[in-house]
Every structure is written in structure tokens, then in C-alpha cells.
């Protein structure tokens, strides 16, 4: 079961964090640690990297099934690419988050 937080918490504070979350920012500049952002439907969303104007990667894990997760990569120029929970490839963060809300 995923944790529920009221503020931004580093992934290292979650003792049962999946490996895919723990290594989320390792290939990004400055190796940022993933931090909890919010719930989005049945998904828990974390981000490694800046919220704007930089390399970042979002990770969403299902709140009850640690084996269900997907990511979205944002590049410094504002473009991005990611996979939704149902396996579709999207290029807009807004579409990725919409699919999280729609997927149970």
C-alpha cells in the first residue's frame, strides 16, 4: 500500500518504495531524488527534477499494486514523452495525468 503524505517527501523516506521509484532521477542532471507530489485518482505521483524548465521525470504507482507503475519524462525544452497505465505513448503531461485519473 502506498503512503499518503500531506507534503513533499523524498522517496528515501518510504521504506517500501519500489526500485523503479528509487532510481527515478539517477540519469538526470544532478541526480535529483524523487519527491511525493500528490494522488491522482488511484495513482500516487512522484517527481524527480524541477517542476518547470528542466529535465524531470514523473512516476505514478498504483496505490494498492506496487507492480503497476508508469513514467513521463519532461525535457528542458518543454517537450515530453511517457507511457500511460494502459500502455499508450503520450507526449503531453496533461494527457498522461488525465489517463491516470481515468484508469483504475
Amino acid at each position: 500500500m502506498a503512503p499518503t503524505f500531506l507534503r513533499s517527501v523524498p522517496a528515501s523516506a518510504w521504506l517500501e518504495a519500489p526500485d523503479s521509484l528509487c532510481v527515478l532521477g539517477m540519469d538526470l542532471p544532478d541526480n535529483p531524488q524523487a519527491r511525493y507530489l500528490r494522488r491522482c485518482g488511484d495513482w500516487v505521483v512522484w517527481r524527480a527534477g524541477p517542476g518547470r524548465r528542466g529535465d524531470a521525470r514523473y512516476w505514478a504507482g498504483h496505490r494498492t499494486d506496487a507492480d503497476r507503475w508508469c513514467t513521463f519524462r519532461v525535457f528542458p525544452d518543454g517537450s515530453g514523452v511517457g507511457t500511460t497505465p494502459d500502455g499508450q505513448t503520450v507526449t503531453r503531461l496533461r494527457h498522461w495525468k488525465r489517463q491516470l485519473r481515468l484508469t483504475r
Side-chain angles (χ1 to χ4, degrees):
M1 180 123 177
T4 302
F5 300 114
L6 299 175
R7 56 184 166 64
S8 178
V9 175
S12 60
W14 181 16
L15 300 178
E16 299 167 350
D19 291 338
S20 58
L21 176 60
C22 294
V23 300
L24 190 65
M26 284 192 151
D27 65 334
L28 299 176
D30 300 325
N31 299 3
Q33 185 174 161
R35 299 188 72 80
Y36 171 79
L37 289 181
R38 68 182 63 86
R39 290 267 309 265
C40 191
D42 285 342
W43 300 83
V44 182
V45 180
W46 300 69
R47 182 184 65 230
R52 298 184 63 160
R53 311 243 188 255
D55 276 330
R57 184 174 287 116
Y58 290 79
W59 181 96
H62 194 270
R63 67 181 178 86
T64 60
D65 184 357
D67 293 329
R68 291 181 63 195
W69 56 273
C70 58
T71 61
F72 189 90
R73 174 75 188 269
V74 178
F75 300 99
D77 66 0
S79 66
V81 65
T83 305
T84 63
D86 58 2
Q88 296 178 27
T89 300
V90 293
T91 57
R92 298 206 47 199
L93 182 60
R94 175 178 290 177
H95 295 159
W96 184 76
K97 291 189 289 187
R98 181 183 309 142
Q99 285 303 115
L100 293 177
R101 285 189 295 274
L102 296 174
T103 305
R104 296 275 172 213

